[in-house]
Amino acid sequence: FGGDPNQVTVMGHSAGAHAIACLMTVPEAQPLFRRAILQSGQLGLGLSSPRRAARIAGYVDDGLRRAGEGADPATAEVDALLAAQRHAMIRAAGPGGLDATPAFAPVDGVAPLTRGTTWTDAASSGHDLMVGYTADEAETFVRISPALERMRRLPVVGRLGAAGAAVTTRRVFGAPAEALADDAARAGSRVFSYRFAWRSPRSRLGACHCIELPFLFGTRSASEGAPMLAGASWDADVEPLAAVVRSAWL
């Protein structure tokens, strides 16, 4: 795009952050970028296993056959691929959609990742790093599961569910992000970290997964009606903090 190839920054959110952390461990990829921004990566889940990947692939094959296609994704039509992807995600989520673990993820030991890749390997890559998470990441995944959402409406279960969501946020998102930042700093990299804790006044989602994105990109037309921003004024609440977020990222 006419920029400086020695000043490339890669950034990703959620699965994108997870993928970039993987790229940071690949020797052939490391020289291709200088800085990395990792937002809300599910680093606590680690890498998918070859066994799980094979199981998900079987679900995709089954979905393609149900769509009237052969089992080869390389020759299937786009609509059939999308239907097969949805089928695989539903199957992977299990009864009631209780398993919110991503169906598709980088696989341990499958090229270009080496067997036993860890985030400590990513931390020693030498890239400038910005890494962080939101205060209530797991609320998004609880709310999109019909079974978990019904359970949360029961008083006692609701309190337990809130505690479970907080633990999940910490173990899957928060603690691994902080550990990656600490390890990278000890390795001599320039490191910045953040925790996004703003909550909309009438949203039950809190500072959920994805909530920082409207503040970063300023996409008013796409985001103003989002449930996670319920009760917030774009001009009075969102845009002033958005200016701070964009300045920090820049």
Side-chain angles (χ1 to χ4, degrees):
F1 300 104
D4 183 347
N6 295 314
Q7 297 284 355
V8 172
T9 298
V10 294
M11 64 183 294
H13 176 272
S14 193
H18 192 251
I20 289 171
C22 291
L23 274 180
M24 292 169 67
T25 73
V26 179
E28 295 84 357
Q30 288 170 348
L32 301 180
F33 58 98
R34 177 172 175 179
R35 300 184 177 97
I37 300 174
L38 278 61
Q39 300 173 215
S40 298
Q42 62 274 24
L43 302 182
L45 298 180
L47 301 175
S48 185
S49 69
R51 177 179 294 182
R52 174 175 168 81
R55 179 162 58 88
I56 300 299
Y59 294 155
V60 173
D61 288 346
D62 181 54
L64 287 173
R65 284 190 289 268
R66 288 169 179 260
E69 298 279 339
D72 184 1
T75 58
E77 296 292 331
V78 171
D79 287 346
L81 281 173
L82 292 174
Q85 174 181 272
R86 183 173 186 273
H87 174 77
M89 292 171 68
I90 291 172
R91 288 291 306 276
L98 291 175
D99 185 356
T101 305
F104 303 97
V107 181
D108 185 24
V110 174
L113 299 179
T114 57
R115 177 73 67 180
T117 294
T118 69
W119 305 133
T120 303
D121 299 322
S124 61
S125 68
H127 296 96
D128 293 346
L129 178 65
M130 181 176 184
V131 57
Y133 60 101
T134 71
D136 306 308
E137 296 272 11
E139 285 297 330
T140 297
F141 304 99
V142 171
R143 301 292 179 185
I144 64 175
S145 167
L148 290 175
E149 179 64 5
R150 286 193 297 269
M151 292 167 63
R152 283 288 290 270
R153 293 172 187 165
L154 302 173
V156 175
V157 176
R159 288 192 291 273
L160 291 174
V167 170
T168 300
T169 292
R170 183 67 191 159
R171 289 185 176 178
V172 176
F173 298 95
E178 293 169 6
L180 178 62
D182 288 343
D183 288 346
R186 279 192 288 267
S189 293
R190 192 166 63 133
V191 181
F192 303 86
S193 61
Y194 71 90
R195 178 176 178 270
F196 194 93
W198 180 91
R199 298 173 175 89
S200 196
R202 291 206 302 270
S203 172
R204 295 185 302 159
L205 290 164
C208 64
H209 194 65
C210 296
I211 198 168
E212 86 281 13
L213 298 181
F215 294 83
L216 179 60
F217 294 112
T219 49
R220 182 172 190 161
S221 61
S223 306
E224 196 167 20
M228 62 184 177
L229 299 181
S233 163
W234 188 274
D235 293 320
D237 300 318
V238 176
E239 192 51 44
L241 180 56
V244 175
V245 171
R246 289 192 286 269
S247 294
W249 262 241
L250 287 170

